[in-house]
Amino acid sequence: QRSPLAHKVLTKVPSLAQWSKWYKSPLWAKNGHVHTIIASKARRTAAVEYHRTELSTPDGGTLALDRLITVRWGERPSNRQEGVTFVGPASEAWEQQNRNKPFLLLTSGLGGGSHDPYVRSMAASAAAKGWQVGIVNMRSCGGSPVTSARFFSAYRGSTCDVRQALAHCKQHFVAPGTRVAVMGWSNGGTIIN
């Protein structure tokens, strides 16, 4: 017995319903580690401009919330540190133009941040589809300052930090009733679940 959600998804993506239709890797790329290495070395994603806001947590920690302001599609740097520029706050006109767009908050994998190519790629793709995008850089990750004894921890999880970042985004960046979503990779995906 399929749930209504499973039925809806499988109706729209029938290739998920049969193992025989799933993607088959070439023999040289059967190992998932190979996929990760190739993607990290070969991916060229658009350059981006972020505005960074530092959020203080109740225990004295700091989260770095990076909001996507501009995607520079013509620039596709290969180095993970290249391709990210930090700019000042968005103009009031930009804020008004984007306030009613849906908002997507991204959380990277363990120890990652907004500079990682896979995060920049998703941010740029979501922006191209009409979303506002923010990325939460967890404590001591992605260049966020260390201001408390508590670091980001995969063991402890950081759901309260993501909740705080999301509440900030809802309060400051989106109009009431606007759609908001959160997406994460690896440990970031676990935290938002």
Side-chain angles (χ1 to χ4, degrees):
Q1 183 72 356
R2 289 185 181 156
S3 72
L5 176 61
H7 178 72
K8 184 177 181 180
V9 170
L10 293 175
T11 301
K12 292 189 181 210
V13 190
S15 61
L16 290 178
Q18 298 174 7
W19 285 108
S20 63
K21 294 188 177 183
W22 282 38
Y23 172 76
K24 292 192 181 9
S25 298
L27 187 58
W28 58 269
K30 290 281 186 200
N31 185 308
H33 298 297
V34 173
H35 294 207
T36 301
I37 292 166
I38 290 172
S40 71
K41 299 298 180 191
R43 179 182 288 137
R44 297 175 85 78
T45 192
V48 296
E49 291 180 355
Y50 295 129
H51 170 67
R52 176 163 282 189
T53 302
E54 290 183 355
L55 305 177
S56 295
T57 63
D59 66 350
T62 301
L63 307 173
L65 178 63
D66 293 340
R67 191 164 170 215
L68 180 64
I69 303 297
T70 304
V71 177
R72 297 189 314 263
W73 291 104
E75 299 176 39
R76 296 199 177 264
S78 59
N79 183 307
R80 79 179 245 170
Q81 298 300 328
E82 295 173 359
V84 176
T85 304
F86 290 97
V87 298
S91 68
E92 187 59 37
W94 189 92
E95 293 288 354
Q96 290 304 317
Q97 179 184 354
N98 287 280
R99 190 158 180 77
N100 291 311
K101 290 182 178 179
F103 191 90
L104 177 62
L105 182 66
L106 302 175
T107 61
S108 68
L110 182 62
S114 58
H115 60 281
D116 288 319
Y118 65 93
V119 175
R120 288 194 337 245
S121 179
M122 180 56 72
S125 296
K129 302 245 184 245
W131 288 74
Q132 294 186 71
V133 181
I135 302 98
V136 62
N137 295 282
M138 305 306 274
R139 300 168 188 237
S140 71
C141 299
S144 65
V146 178
T147 58
S148 71
R150 181 177 159 206
F151 293 130
F152 170 69
S153 167
Y155 174 72
R156 287 183 61 155
S158 296
T159 55
C160 57
D161 290 348
V162 173
R163 281 191 203 108
Q164 181 179 343
L166 185 58
H168 180 87
C169 294
K170 289 168 95 173
Q171 180 180 359
H172 296 281
F173 305 144
V174 297
T178 303
R179 186 171 33 162
V180 175
V182 183
M183 182 186 143
W185 291 264
S186 189
N187 192 63
T190 302
I191 290 170
I192 64 172
N193 259 333

